[in-house]
Amino acid sequence: GLGDVYKRQVSDLYIFLFSNSYLLIYLMVNYLQVEGLGKSFGSDVLFEDVTFSIGQGEKVALIARNGKGKSTLLKILVGEEDYNSGEIIKMRDLKIGFLSQTPVFDEKKTIFENVLACASKNHDGDWDAEDRTRAMLHKLQIEDMDMMPAHMSGGQTKRAAIAAVLLAEPDMLLLDEPTNHLDISTVEWLENYLSTQKTTLLMVTHDRYFLDKVCNRIMEIDNRQVYKYNGGYDCYLTKRQERLDNINAELAKIKNLLRTEQEWMRRQPQARGSKAKYRIDNFYELEKRSHVRTEESNVNPDAVKGSYIGSKIFEANNISKSFGDKVILKDWNYIFARYDKIGIVGKNGVGKSTFVKMLLGEVAPDSGSFDIGQTVKWGYYSQEGMTDFDEKKKVIDAVREIAEEVVIDEKTRFSASQFLNHFLFSVQDQQKYIYKLSGGERRRLN
């Protein structure tokens, strides 16, 4: 009764003509479609039969526990890692920009030259590439553009890498923990940029506040599958709990039925008919389904409570430190007492890590002195983590080399294996070789 219908596709807009009346329907263009994707390292299955799509303009957060395949999935999507099964379908001529957890630059070129190369590679005859590069580096607070990568802090390196990936003007961004090492002002700038630009985004992050500001959808890798949630982090927590409650209710039914079937299996003679065979197959399927794990584990802070220390930690007396014209501290005095918890903030490259290294005695002040309490023991976790791991050793061996037994106080002692368990390394995980660990697992081991 509507008369002739004519349809014409204009990019992602469909126009329907109903007897001289127009109906406009917006259809999202799929940038990326993943079908039945599976990935494993030997017997360690990260995920299997994973299916999802990402459409133009969507901003998606990818979350999971450490070692469950977040970074691996991003590397698969950009072609840096292979996969065992499934299919990845990309829109024709789709340009993807990838920011890795640990960006690497050409050590023989200045940071300006490194970033300029990224800004120019997608634009032949791009005469304003140098101006755009300087402007982007300036926005990201990198003023010394002749700096060599080897002399840059972790935060400066990350900011330069962000500049490079944005200047390449990709259709879709894949960002692996983009806020790691960034100072507060840069996080706020990136948050504003990503939330206001018409950027298509898939991002791994552990920063729930950054996630809420930027993303409108969440994907979670759990039990080798990917689960999808619309909305922010609070909405995700609610819907995820509903999913787990449903799984637990289903598991309770399965386990009740399994107990009945186990009794039947014990009573049956060896010779069974076709009906019995069907029931036996069903029993093994029930048994497989009953092994789904839904409980949450967390790092146990009680495992690292310190022993007694005196009331005096350290006093800083007229500390000064400079590198050429760059002043880190000048005539600085401070008394740090027991139980103080101090956060050190400042722009990337102003000397935060240098300050900590002076406390440790790794860097000497130009003048002044530190008076450190006699009972003080330093525990240092750096931006880079421990760099002296033997990659070919197992996780358990890395801890045993330091201590076969970890003594917390007179009443509390752990074996190396027990101690690792407090940091979510199962007995099986403790046998992993260090070179196979994810970034998050390495940080827990550090």
Side-chain angles (χ1 to χ4, degrees), residues 134-249:
R134 287 193 179 89
M136 182 61 78
L137 287 171
H138 179 73
K139 287 178 183 176
L140 286 161
Q141 302 173 31
I142 296 179
E143 305 299 339
D144 184 359
M145 301 187 191
D146 293 327
M147 199 182 322
M148 303 304 289
H151 299 146
M152 297 173 69
S153 71
Q156 289 171 320
T157 302
K158 196 62 170 278
R159 281 187 281 134
I162 290 170
V165 75
L166 296 181
L167 282 166
E169 298 181 353
D171 303 308
M172 180 176 179
L173 284 170
L174 301 187
L175 307 180
D176 196 351
E177 301 197 26
T179 59
N180 276 11
H181 301 319
L182 295 186
D183 56 47
I184 294 170
S185 62
T186 308
V187 171
E188 290 174 343
W189 182 89
L190 184 62
E191 181 182 283
N192 182 66
Y193 181 92
L194 294 175
S195 60
T196 56
Q197 297 290 313
K198 294 180 179 179
T199 306
T200 303
L201 172 68
L202 176 60
M203 173 178 70
V204 171
T205 182
H206 293 284
D207 184 339
R208 62 170 294 180
Y209 303 104
F210 187 79
L211 182 158
D212 272 335
K213 291 283 188 178
V214 173
C215 296
N216 51 29
R217 191 153 73 92
I218 292 175
M219 295 196 310
E220 178 191 26
I221 301 176
D222 186 34
N223 282 321
R224 302 175 179 178
Q225 300 294 308
V226 165
Y227 298 91
K228 295 148 232 172
Y229 308 87
N230 292 323
Y233 194 78
D234 287 334
C235 184
Y236 151 75
L237 289 177
T238 300
K239 292 180 179 178
R240 181 180 189 274
Q241 190 58 51
E242 290 173 0
R243 176 176 70 82
L244 293 178
D245 289 344
N246 290 335
I247 290 174
N248 286 328

Side-chain angles (χ1 to χ4, degrees), residues 320-340:
S320 294
K321 182 65 181 177
S322 300
F323 292 99
D325 295 333
K326 182 177 181 180
V327 178
I328 305 297
L329 289 171
K330 185 174 177 61
D331 296 329
W332 180 66
N333 294 274
Y334 190 80
I335 298 175
F336 192 101
R338 184 167 51 153
Y339 306 129
D340 279 355

Side-chain angles (χ1 to χ4, degrees), residues 206-360:
H206 293 284
D207 184 339
R208 62 170 294 180
Y209 303 104
F210 187 79
L211 182 158
D212 272 335
K213 291 283 188 178
V214 173
C215 296
N216 51 29
R217 191 153 73 92
I218 292 175
M219 295 196 310
E220 178 191 26
I221 301 176
D222 186 34
N223 282 321
R224 302 175 179 178
Q225 300 294 308
V226 165
Y227 298 91
K228 295 148 232 172
Y229 308 87
N230 292 323
Y233 194 78
D234 287 334
C235 184
Y236 151 75
L237 289 177
T238 300
K239 292 180 179 178
R240 181 180 189 274
Q241 190 58 51
E242 290 173 0
R243 176 176 70 82
L244 293 178
D245 289 344
N246 290 335
I247 290 174
N248 286 328
E250 181 66 21
L251 279 175
K253 293 178 183 177
I254 289 172
K255 287 177 179 177
N256 282 334
L257 181 56
L258 189 61
R259 280 192 287 270
T260 302
E261 295 300 282
Q262 282 174 329
E263 287 295 323
W264 177 83
M265 288 282 285
R266 281 195 288 267
R267 292 196 306 268
Q268 290 304 301
Q270 291 298 315
R272 297 180 173 112
S274 58
K275 287 185 179 180
K277 184 178 185 304
Y278 173 82
R279 192 169 177 180
I280 292 167
D281 292 342
N282 190 53
F283 166 78
Y284 288 119
E285 179 61 25
L286 282 171
E287 193 173 45
K288 181 181 177 182
R289 289 169 64 192
S290 71
H291 290 156
V292 174
R293 293 182 59 186
T294 59
E295 70 271 16
E296 290 292 311
S297 298
N298 295 296
V299 172
N300 180 9
D302 289 339
V304 289
K305 286 181 177 176
S307 57
Y308 172 79
I309 57 173
S311 59
K312 179 179 179 179
I313 304 299
F314 76 80
E315 294 182 13
N317 301 307
N318 297 311
I319 300 293
S320 294
K321 182 65 181 177
S322 300
F323 292 99
D325 295 333
K326 182 177 181 180
V327 178
I328 305 297
L329 289 171
K330 185 174 177 61
D331 296 329
W332 180 66
N333 294 274
Y334 190 80
I335 298 175
F336 192 101
R338 184 167 51 153
Y339 306 129
D340 279 355
K341 296 177 176 64
I342 305 296
I344 305 170
V345 298
K347 293 180 180 179
N348 292 139
V350 299
K352 300 186 296 295
S353 296
T354 299
F355 165 68
V356 174
K357 288 175 181 177
M358 283 195 288
L359 284 177
L360 296 172

Side-chain angles (χ1 to χ4, degrees), residues 353-406:
S353 296
T354 299
F355 165 68
V356 174
K357 288 175 181 177
M358 283 195 288
L359 284 177
L360 296 172
E362 294 181 4
V363 174
D366 297 335
S367 61
S369 63
F370 289 103
D371 184 8
I372 298 171
Q374 290 183 348
T375 59
V376 170
K377 294 180 181 178
W378 298 110
Y380 179 43
Y381 180 83
S382 70
Q383 287 187 35
E384 298 80 16
M386 294 170 130
T387 57
D388 57 352
F389 277 142
D390 184 340
E391 298 285 311
K392 295 181 181 179
K393 288 191 175 178
K394 295 178 180 179
V395 169
I396 184 69
D397 296 329
V399 175
R400 281 177 174 160
E401 282 186 353
I402 300 169
E404 287 281 353
E405 185 180 51
V406 182

